[in-house]
Amino acid sequence: MIKEKFDVTGMTCSACSSRVEKCVSRLEGISQVSVNLLTNSMQVEYDENVLSEDQIISAVVKAGYGAFPADSAEKKDGKTSSVKSSSSSGVIEEQMKNMKMRLIVSFVFLIPLMYVSMGHMIGLPLPGFLTGVENAVSFAFTQFLLCLPVIFVNRKYYSKGFQTLFHLAPNMDSLIAIGSGASLAYGIFAIYRMSYGLGQGNMKLVHMYYHDLYFESAAMILALITVGKYLEARSKGKTSEAITKLIDLAPKMAVVERDGKEQEIPVEQVREGDIVVVRPGGSIPVDGFVIEGTASVDEAAITGESIPVQKHVNDTVIAATINKTGFLRFKATRVGDDTTFSQIIRLVEEASSSKAPIAKTADKIAGVFVPVVMAIALITAVVWLISGASFEFALSCAICVLVISCPCALGLATPVAIMVGTGKGAENGILIKSGEALEIAHSVQCVVLDKTGTITQGKPVVTDVDTVLDKRKFLSVAAGLEERSEHPLAAAITEFAGKKHIPSEKVEEFLSVPGKGVKGKIHGHWYFAGNSAMMEKQNMDLSPFREKLNAYADQGKTPMLFADESQILGIICVADVVKPSSSEAVRQFKKLGIEVVMLTGDNSRTAEAIRKQTGIDKVIAEVLPQDKEREIDRLQQQGKKVAMIGDGVNDAPALARADVGMAIGAGTDVAIESADIVLMKNDLMDAVTAIRLSKAVIRNIRQNLFWAFFYNSLGIPVAAGVFYPLLGLKLNPMIGAAAMSLSSIFVVTNALRLKKFSSEKNMENNFKEETTMITMKINGMMCPHCQAAVKKALEAIDGVTADVNLEDKAAYITASGQVDKEALKKAVTDAGYEVISIE
């Protein structure tokens, strides 16, 4: 079995893609075929011993479309993937431009058409040559002429609608073509009858057809459907930018050593075995292994993890990662399309192509509704002719059946609800990029979460300070040592000390020990900071701290040890902490009956700690981007509808593969473009809201479809003249038009009820506790007893913790929520001390 990708031309709607898929899947030797309308591509898995490439192309051509192998097209044109990407982007822009033109032309001619046809009903003036029964033909012919441009620019509905009908697979386009086509045909028929009536002097006949015109209905149907299609195309078009943005992330140039000299060449010219040089701040252009140098490499583009990785000789480096510090020489092992980054691009393309178009409920109804209505119209005409009625009466009843079955309300049922739903989502900080995503989200059974930046904050912060010294003095030493370090964990410590207004000690003879830590002299004495290996090198006894270090590690924290020349002074723990709302979001998912899985490239120990904190059902740790995408596929193979929530480039293939991809707003552009839903507020609770909103929208769509179908069906017996022999009741065209309008109004009004949807989320109260930092300068403190007295007085106030420093003559206060500064001042004054200032 081989897997091959083809580019398909000529597809315009989901009926086209499903027809191509159906025709190819019938071929002997086909294992799997998936056609993607958005990318105009087809993924085929077939037995090359049974089937050839030409036979597959031939099947597509016979179906009325064009096809050619994607890779051969690139080779033939000599295009790179980036050129291909930009050309595909140009095709999308051209389609959008064409759709916009159709929309503008439709409304430019629809507005005067509506004025001519309906204006006189509300007292608007018309030119003399269009008023009165004697000008009936001018009145009708003017409407016909105004209707023609609308029909011409939207002719695709007719070509595709009738094409699918002839292939016995009617869809929404078939309904649109029949509804507007019947209205147009009836209007033309009325013009001929009025001309005949005027010629014969039969004014009764002329008057009968004078208001019996449906040109405005034909144009209105096409214009309204085009609005929905334009909005849908505009939101869908954004997803195809994902691959372009992925390619843009890859380095364009590389510095290689050739003939003993450094040369800067395009990355495409790097060969396997080349020696590549990367300086601080540079991007690593290809995969390889280090032969010289030590550096801190930011691998967030690949692993999604926020903490850079230290690279030494013989360690592997990956394309599109960034050298933060240090000089590297490495040997290229995988270049071009073989690099890990290129594989991620390919996975995104494949996952996008394999996402089959969703069969709309309206299309399914149309499959039954259209042939049934046509059969009823035909039977109506035949029965009336057999019963002795005139041909004119029989034809009038048959066309009336088709007109009252106009798909306007059926066509609006889905897009209007989705439009209101996506707008409501945006109000709640949820950007829903396609109607498909909104539809599928209601049936999600499993949610897969990335860890860094999704469940956690995505930035290391200090969580614990454990020391044998005075806390402020210890942090002053720690900040001094870490101030000159370029490690991201060092930045967390200096930032923590800065927030507490703790000055850093001056360090001399600073030295960084790669992979272990840093050291330096403070007041003539050596101090050390780093991991266990650093402390062991200084012959420090770690046995009293082993249990504590293991406990911190089990909690997902990174402990950093600090020591002087004789003993370990303390431990500072740094961790990427869980967002305040993550645990509640997991609980809400479970409440909805959804399984929660965490996928992360981080180590198992940290992942398990996060799982315990949040209550997640299952954890899969230490996974590469390919494994994330494969795990999503595995869950789908079990028959589950899967939603993926992530923020990194490494999540892009999984986001594309999932039934619904959700990207955290602050994540990378690529993750956001690959996803169907973007959580703009970086809050997992918004994912819960998105699923609840989806359920509300689908419920609304089903109601809309029922009522649209009900109104149309109710009018059919009356239009067919079933009650004419008994009650003399035959459908009046004005009543028919009113019924059609009423069904559309009902559908739109029902969809507007979605505006009342509430997220039922009060994150500010439940999960965010605002903290206030205050510095108070105090006079009169002389000894530790004074220090303790001030601390006790301040901490007697609810929600206040105080760190009192004798040397600074100050109290550093942390208060949860807002606190009255006067109350703080009074507490210290009552304890017998003078407050100089409060900041």
Side-chain angles (χ1 to χ4, degrees):
M1 287 286 179
I2 62 168
K3 196 173 187 179
E4 195 165 349
K5 185 179 177 183
F6 294 83
D7 287 333
V8 182
T9 58
M11 297 191 298
T12 57
C13 67
S14 58
C16 302
S17 56
S18 59
R19 172 146 181 80
V20 171
E21 198 167 295
K22 207 176 283 181
C23 290
V24 175
S25 62
R26 286 184 190 140
L27 296 172
E28 191 181 344
I30 291 285
S31 170
Q32 194 177 5
V33 57
S34 176
V35 179
N36 186 276
L37 179 64
L38 181 66
T39 57
N40 288 311
S41 64
M42 173 175 68
Q43 292 275 355
V44 184
E45 193 173 334
Y46 65 98
D47 186 346
E48 69 273 29
N49 298 318
V50 179
L51 198 62
S52 71
E53 206 175 71
D54 291 337
Q55 286 173 298
I56 293 169
I57 292 169
S58 177
V60 176
V61 171
K62 281 178 185 173
Y65 307 92
F68 50 88
D71 56 352
S72 71
E74 287 173 55
K75 286 172 192 170
K76 179 183 169 185
D77 297 339
K79 292 180 182 177
T80 64
S81 56
S82 60
V83 173
K84 182 193 171 195
S85 176
S86 63
S87 71
S88 101
S89 170
V91 170
I92 290 162
E93 284 176 20
E94 189 62 39
Q95 287 174 349
M96 287 295 299
K97 191 177 174 183
N98 179 262
M99 190 78 80
K100 193 173 182 180
M101 181 273 293
R102 282 167 53 189
L103 195 61
I104 292 167
V105 170
S106 296
F107 276 92
V108 162
F109 287 94
L110 176 66
I111 291 165
L113 172 59
M114 293 301 292
Y115 182 90
V116 172
S117 63
M118 302 285 190
H120 62 281
M121 296 181 187
I122 54 173
L124 293 174
L126 278 176
F129 70 91
L130 294 179
T131 56
V133 179
E134 63 278 6
N135 291 315
V137 172
S138 300
F139 177 70
F141 196 68
T142 301
Q143 292 182 49
F144 175 62
L145 291 176
L146 288 168
C147 184
L148 283 177
V150 181
I151 290 188
F152 179 75
V153 294
N154 294 298
R155 61 192 178 279
K156 276 190 177 181
Y157 292 127
Y158 293 97
S159 59
K160 293 301 173 187
F162 287 118
Q163 187 180 2
T164 55
L165 190 63
F166 295 148
H167 288 131
L168 303 179
N171 69 337
M172 276 302 297
D173 284 347
S174 305
L175 277 175
I176 294 160
I178 288 170
S180 59
S183 300
L184 183 68
Y186 189 78
I188 293 168
F189 173 74
I191 290 174
Y192 278 101
R193 293 302 290 156
M194 285 189 291
S195 298
Y196 176 79
L198 286 169
Q200 297 294 317
N202 186 351
M203 299 309 285
K204 186 181 177 183
L205 180 65
V206 176
H207 194 274
M208 187 174 85
Y209 284 102
Y210 181 55
H211 293 299
D212 205 357
L213 301 166
Y214 283 95
F215 291 121
E216 80 284 351
S217 296
M220 180 67 83
I221 292 165
L222 296 171
L224 287 175
I225 297 299
T226 303
V227 170
K229 293 260 186 183
Y230 173 72
L231 292 172
E232 190 181 341
R234 194 171 69 168
S235 62
K236 276 185 179 178
K238 291 179 182 177
T239 57
S240 60
E241 294 171 13
I243 295 164
T244 309
K245 293 205 173 187
L246 265 178
I247 292 164
D248 289 345
L249 274 181
K252 305 295 182 288
M253 304 296 286
V255 177
V256 298
E257 289 183 359
R258 287 182 181 169
D259 303 323
K261 295 179 182 178
E262 287 187 7
Q263 298 177 21
E264 189 174 32
I265 60 172
V267 73
E268 293 85 1
Q269 294 178 18
V270 178
R271 297 190 298 265
E272 192 176 328
D274 274 345
I275 304 302
V276 184
V277 176
V278 183
R279 291 181 169 79
S283 289
I284 292 169
V286 294
D287 292 4
F289 64 90
V290 179
I291 57 173
E292 182 189 331
T294 301
S296 181
V297 176
D298 182 356
E299 295 187 340
I302 302 297
T303 66
E305 300 311 318
S306 53
I307 298 173
V309 178
Q310 203 71 22
K311 296 291 181 181
H312 308 283
V313 173
N314 292 327
D315 285 346
T316 57
V317 288
I318 303 170
T321 57
I322 298 167
N323 178 8
K324 302 291 277 186
T325 60
F327 171 86
L328 283 180
R329 283 177 77 241
F330 69 91
K331 189 173 185 178
T333 55
R334 290 195 291 183
V335 299
D337 291 339
D338 295 328
T339 65
T340 304
F341 196 70
S342 294
Q343 287 172 23
I344 291 175
I345 293 171
R346 188 167 68 250
L347 283 168
V348 172
E349 285 180 326
E350 286 182 7
S352 295
S353 299
S354 66
K355 193 181 284 185
I358 299 161
K360 299 284 184 188
T361 311
D363 275 342
K364 291 176 183 176
I365 290 175
V368 179
F369 188 65
V370 174
V372 167
V373 167
M374 291 182 73
I376 292 170
L378 184 62
I379 291 165
T380 299
V382 170
V383 168
W384 279 116
L385 286 170
I386 292 171
S387 66
S390 67
F391 176 76
E392 180 185 292
F393 184 89
L395 184 63
S396 171
C397 287
I399 294 181
C400 255
V401 167
L402 290 173
V403 170
I404 195 65
S405 307
C406 161
C408 193
L410 260 177
L412 288 170
T414 303
V416 173
I418 285 175
M419 229 181 290
V420 178
T422 50
K424 195 66 191 174
E427 281 178 32
N428 287 282
I430 302 158
L431 177 61
I432 300 162
K433 290 163 60 179
S434 70
E436 285 89 347
L438 197 59
E439 282 192 42
I440 302 171
H442 88 285
S443 57
V444 164
Q445 297 158 301
C446 177
V447 168
V448 178
L449 308 173
D450 176 46
K451 180 183 79 71
T452 307
T454 302
I455 298 172
T456 64
Q457 300 282 13
K459 180 186 175 186
V461 295
V462 171
T463 57
D464 300 85
V465 179
D466 189 353
T467 177
V468 296
L469 302 177
D470 171 74
K471 192 174 178 181
R472 287 185 65 80
K473 185 177 179 182
F474 172 65
L475 283 170
S476 179
V477 169
L481 282 170
E482 299 293 359
E483 199 170 41
R484 290 164 66 182
S485 171
E486 293 175 332
H487 199 282
L489 299 186
I493 292 170
T494 53
E495 188 180 329
F496 181 75
K499 281 182 179 177
K500 290 191 169 289
H501 306 285
I502 297 171
S504 54
E505 291 282 5
K506 187 181 179 184
V507 176
E508 296 171 342
E509 296 184 44
F510 175 86
L511 186 65
S512 176
V513 184
K516 293 180 181 177
V518 296
K519 62 181 182 177
K521 277 187 176 181
I522 299 174
H523 304 308
H525 298 283
W526 281 103
Y527 285 83
F528 308 91
N531 54 23
S532 300
M534 181 77 169
M535 297 301 130
E536 284 168 352
K537 190 179 178 183
Q538 305 306 320
N539 298 316
M540 297 290 172
D541 182 15
L542 288 175
S543 54
F545 300 93
R546 289 285 182 201
E547 194 175 326
K548 194 173 281 187
L549 290 171
N550 288 333
Y552 283 136
D554 286 338
Q555 293 167 29
K557 298 170 182 176
T558 303
M560 297 178 69
L561 295 152
F562 293 81
D564 59 14
E565 293 166 337
S566 58
Q567 63 171 339
I568 291 176
L569 303 174
I571 302 169
I572 296 178
C573 286
V574 176
D576 185 7
V577 297
V578 172
K579 290 179 185 176
S581 62
S582 294
S583 297
E584 176 62 15
V586 170
R587 194 181 71 79
Q588 290 289 343
F589 279 130
K590 288 183 173 182
K591 197 174 173 184
L592 289 168
I594 297 170
E595 181 189 6
V596 185
V597 177
M598 179 169 78
L599 284 183
T600 178
D602 214 336
N603 63 73
S604 303
R605 206 171 191 178
T606 302
E608 184 59 25
I610 301 293
R611 187 195 70 79
K612 287 177 182 175
Q613 285 180 55
T614 55
I616 285 168
D617 296 313
K618 183 182 175 185
V619 166
I620 301 166
E622 299 174 20
V623 290
L624 293 171
Q626 301 93 310
D627 299 324
K628 287 189 179 184
E629 189 261 352
R630 201 178 299 126
E631 186 64 25
I632 296 288
D633 189 49
R634 190 185 65 77
L635 289 166
Q636 289 173 326
Q637 293 296 325
Q638 295 171 15
K640 294 176 181 176
K641 279 276 192 291
V642 181
M644 170 72 193
I645 307 174
D647 71 328
V649 173
N650 65 304
D651 299 318
L655 287 168
R657 171 68 67 186
D659 295 288
V660 180
M662 298 189 193
I664 292 290
T668 64
D669 284 345
V670 175
I672 290 170
E673 292 299 337
S674 296
D676 304 299
I677 297 173
V678 178
L679 310 179
M680 294 186 284
K681 293 178 186 170
N682 296 327
D683 193 336
L684 263 183
M685 278 299 292
D686 284 341
V688 178
T689 303
I691 289 172
R692 287 184 56 252
L693 177 63
S694 170
K695 289 178 184 291
V697 169
I698 295 305
R699 189 164 55 246
N700 193 279
I701 287 171
R702 285 173 180 159
Q703 291 166 355
N704 285 348
L705 288 171
F706 169 77
W707 285 109
F709 182 79
F710 174 75
Y711 270 115
N712 284 337
S713 303
L714 196 66
I716 289 172
V718 184
V722 170
F723 304 108
Y724 185 73
L726 295 173
L727 307 171
L729 183 63
K730 184 180 178 295
L731 185 70
N732 181 297
M734 297 308 294
I735 295 172
M740 281 162 46
S741 300
L742 189 62
S743 63
S744 299
I745 290 165
F746 186 93
V747 162
V748 173
T749 307
N750 188 46
L752 289 174
R753 290 193 309 115
L754 286 167
K755 285 186 173 287
K756 295 179 181 176
F757 175 84
S758 169
S759 66
E760 295 178 6
K761 182 183 71 170
N762 190 354
M763 293 300 299
E764 294 298 321
N765 294 335
N766 292 338
F767 308 113
K768 274 193 180 177
E769 187 177 22
E770 191 181 345
T771 57
T772 307
M773 306 291 289
I774 296 169
T775 302
M776 180 185 283
K777 293 290 184 181
I778 303 168
N779 241 348
M781 292 192 299
M782 307 297 291
C783 65
H785 291 293
C786 300
Q787 183 183 16
V790 171
K791 184 178 174 70
K792 185 178 178 182
L794 287 169
E795 292 186 347
I797 300 170
D798 284 342
V800 171
T801 55
D803 189 6
V804 182
N805 188 280
L806 272 177
E807 291 178 15
D808 297 348
K809 304 292 183 188
Y812 300 97
I813 301 160
T814 305
S816 56
Q818 293 298 321
V819 66
D820 185 1
K821 290 183 180 179
E822 288 302 316
L824 294 172
K825 186 176 179 180
K826 186 176 184 301
V828 175
T829 306
D830 289 350
Y833 302 93
E834 181 189 357
V835 177
I836 298 170
S837 66
I838 301 179
E839 297 171 4

